[in-house]
Structures are given as C-alpha cells and as structure tokens.
Amino acid sequence: MADEHQGPERHINIHFDPKQMAGHYANFANVSHSDYEFTVTFARVDHEVEEEEIPGVVVTRINVSPKFMRELIDAMQDNYSKWETREGIKNLPEFNGDDDPDDAPRA
C-alpha cells in the first residue's frame, strides 16, 4: 500500500559543463573517514616505475556523509554485479555477441 502522504515522484536533472563530459581517469583510490564523513581520493599513478616511490597525481577527491557512502557502496555493488553477469554471458560458447537471440544462426 502506497504512503498517502508521499508527494509527486521527483526526478533529478543534473547539468554540467561540457568540458567535464570526459571525466577523469584514475587507476588508484584511497578511502579514509572521520566521525562525520568519508573521503575518497582518486589518483592516476605510474605502476610501471620500479622505484621505491611510485609517482602519482590526484585527479579528484570527494567527501560524503556516512549515509551517502552506504548508498554509493550499494549502487556500486549492484552495478558491478550486473557488469560481471554480462561479462560471464559473453564468455559462454553459445554467445555470438548479438543482443537478440532470435538473430542467432540456426543449425
């Protein structure tokens, strides 16, 4: 039964500068926390360097509340699970790379 006090469905409409469309590449992340927030730092590091100190540069850092962190973890787990399932299907011998099984060749 729906909550009668709930208002109309809301939709988030996010806009950003086209320069940000490409995003940032990161191959390293560090997560830390305090009593009030989590901090996730994304960086690009050069793993090919064989020196003791590996060079890297921070590409972005975000701070989130504990509640938002839980929601982010849930969303990432759900999305990763879907990706993992799709990748597993691609590795099946029957998979021919088509999304439509009706187009598959018949014996």
Side-chain angles (χ1 to χ4, degrees):
M1 187 159 123
D3 183 4
E4 295 174 11
H5 299 288
Q6 191 175 19
E9 185 175 338
R10 296 172 52 190
H11 300 277
I12 297 174
N13 187 3
I14 299 173
H15 298 274
F16 55 91
D17 186 330
K19 294 178 201 171
Q20 295 177 334
M21 293 277 298
H24 298 283
Y25 176 77
N27 59 1
F28 176 84
N30 181 37
V31 180
S32 58
H33 69 277
S34 70
D35 291 341
Y36 303 102
E37 65 189 9
F38 283 83
T39 300
V40 185
T41 304
F42 292 95
R44 186 173 50 243
V45 299
D46 185 357
H47 291 289
E48 294 179 2
V49 174
E50 295 188 16
E51 299 171 12
E52 187 175 323
E53 189 170 304
I54 301 171
V57 60
V58 170
V59 295
T60 195
R61 172 179 277 178
I62 60 167
N63 297 305
V64 299
S65 70
K67 182 175 180 176
F68 182 79
M69 185 62 152
R70 177 73 262 162
E71 292 172 355
L72 179 61
I73 290 168
D74 291 345
M76 291 179 75
Q77 286 176 331
D78 178 58
N79 204 298
Y80 185 81
S81 176
K82 290 174 184 174
W83 173 85
E84 198 171 38
T85 299
R86 190 178 66 241
E87 288 300 305
I89 290 171
K90 286 181 183 177
N91 293 325
L92 292 175
E94 303 87 25
F95 184 78
N96 65 359
D98 250 343
D99 288 340
D100 187 355
D102 292 332
D103 291 339
R106 305 272 191 275

